[in-house]
Amino acid sequence: MAYVGVDWASATHYAYALDATGQKLGHRAFAHSGTGLTELVDWIRSTSGHEPGRIAVGIEVPHGPVVEHLMDAGLLVHAVNPKQLDRLRDRFTMAGAKDDRLDAFVLADSLRTDDKFYRLLEPMHPTIIELREWSRITEDLSTERNRLANRFRHQLWRYFPQFLDLSEDWARQWILDLWEVVPTPAKARGTRTVTIANLLKQSRVRKWTADSLLAHLRTVPIAVAPGVTEACIAHCRIIITRLRLVMEQLKTALKQLERLCSAVADLPVAPETMTDGRCDPDILRSLPGVGPIVLAALLSEGHDAIVRRDAPTLRALSGVVPVTRRSGKQCMVVMRQACPHRLRTAVYHWARVAVMRDPHCRTRYSDMRKRGHSHARALRSIGSRLIGVACVMLQTGELFDANRMPQPAIA
């Protein structure tokens, strides 16, 4: 009965209201505050003159405080992609004009006439919201861990390059413990073999023995200017302190992911999606390549598509399906860029690990590489296949069977 467009911003939000025939009901700006958002809801109700359940609101973002406030008030909130809004704006102005009031009007009027471009938002369960946040925290901590490890490696490269051959991961616990025992080449010459042997035994390191490790660290060191060693040691101590903290926080985040993924299994499900006692996390966890990080990303970032068992939507969100651009005699197929990067990264690593662990994925990957496709292109194909398999398994309630032959092989 009424359509409202909300052009959100960091400080001021602009709202434009239309009736069902497209006639203007009013427009106004509201501050981003508790009082301002309350005034926004009250203004929408009073201006439209209808109950909240009969008022449609269009906005560019699918989440955030503005969206949550509008949904809590019972309004029907619809989200549209900002790129689509940019194209819809060209219907009203060809001169390239743009301001908050125009954007709010475009949101309202296009929602009235072209609601198929909008997605109706539904309240998300608090467990899914918490899982999504912990999944993003885990990704941020993992990125910070790699950044600090690379800085630690650079300092070792400056004055103690023998350390770089001990492991490919310079943030491993035993590497940090070993550096605190042997921070310099001079210290390595005076360290006892039994000290290194005890450290390797406690850390369960079998690649090196105490004698071979000390022999490697005692090789001829590089010559550095006076003061370089002391400066690098000071820098490494600061990096290691931060690195140990990030590693502890990462362990906590992984435990939270496991707890929340298990909690998702207890959430109520729609009758049409119920299976024989198997929940979505258990089914997805049975697939090759799905660990706690990938599982959390699928359940949180792709929650709507997982619930609907919508494989095409999940493929598009993951960026594994290409985009075709055809015009006349020209035809180009390019990689999809418009997709959530967190879900894209999760599906990429899902496919990468599946190639190492599942023979069918490995065979498909090898065939695509022989046909001239790149590594990333082949993994996107593997990810597309795994998403299709996962959605079918979610529909039937089956667990993954590695010994089951693919349909083409059966035929």
Side-chain angles (χ1 to χ4, degrees), residues 57-131:
V57 179
I59 195 169
E60 291 180 80
V61 290
H63 52 77
V66 181
V67 174
E68 294 165 1
H69 200 92
L70 294 172
M71 293 178 67
D72 289 341
L75 300 170
L76 304 178
V77 183
H78 300 70
V80 67
N81 191 284
K83 281 191 174 182
Q84 288 178 301
L85 176 63
D86 187 52
R87 303 301 186 271
L88 291 170
R89 190 188 302 114
D90 293 339
R91 296 164 54 181
F92 299 91
T93 172
M94 296 300 297
K98 183 184 183 304
D99 58 30
D100 295 345
R101 186 175 68 174
L102 175 61
D103 285 350
F105 169 73
V106 173
L107 284 165
D109 194 66
S110 59
L111 177 59
R112 183 181 64 87
T113 59
D114 300 284
D115 59 341
K116 59 181 176 293
F117 296 132
Y118 288 77
R119 176 166 59 97
L120 177 62
L121 302 180
E122 298 179 358
M124 191 173 291
H125 196 277
T127 302
I128 300 298
I129 296 176
E130 189 177 0
L131 176 62

Side-chain angles (χ1 to χ4, degrees), residues 263-283:
V264 171
D266 300 329
L267 298 182
V269 297
E272 60 272 13
T273 61
M274 292 183 64
T275 55
D276 298 334
R278 295 192 178 97
C279 57
D280 292 358
D282 292 340
I283 295 173

Side-chain angles (χ1 to χ4, degrees), residues 4-6 13-15 28 30-31 35-45 66 69-70 75:
V4 180
V6 177
H13 314 297
Y14 206 97
R28 183 185 161 189
F30 299 88
T35 304
L37 294 180
T38 303
E39 292 176 355
L40 171 61
V41 173
D42 295 340
W43 179 85
I44 291 175
R45 289 177 175 176
V66 181
H69 200 92
L70 294 172
L75 300 170

Side-chain angles (χ1 to χ4, degrees), residues 162-221:
Q162 295 94 321
F163 236 97
L164 302 182
D165 299 328
L166 300 183
S167 175
E168 295 180 356
D169 183 5
W170 301 279
R172 298 184 63 179
Q173 191 70 39
W174 76 274
I175 291 291
L176 304 183
D177 295 338
L178 178 63
W179 183 88
E180 291 183 344
V181 175
V182 189
T184 63
K187 187 69 175 178
R189 290 191 293 271
T191 303
R192 297 187 303 170
T193 305
V194 65
T195 302
I196 304 300
N198 291 335
L199 189 150
L200 296 177
K201 183 178 180 181
Q202 292 176 0
S203 303
R204 299 180 181 179
V205 177
R206 298 181 180 179
K207 180 180 178 180
W208 296 88
T209 64
D211 293 331
S212 62
L213 191 147
L214 280 176
H216 179 74
L217 294 181
R218 289 170 179 172
T219 54
V220 179

Side-chain angles (χ1 to χ4, degrees), residues 304-319:
D304 294 341
I306 291 291
V307 170
R308 297 193 307 268
R309 280 69 169 124
D310 190 351
T313 299
L314 189 57
R315 287 190 177 107
L317 290 174
S318 305

Side-chain angles (χ1 to χ4, degrees), residues 131 252-264 285 291-293 295-296:
L131 176 62
T252 303
L254 291 174
K255 291 180 181 178
Q256 291 292 335
L257 290 184
E258 291 285 0
R259 178 184 66 83
L260 291 170
C261 287
S262 301
V264 171
R285 195 181 281 113
I293 296 178
L295 178 62

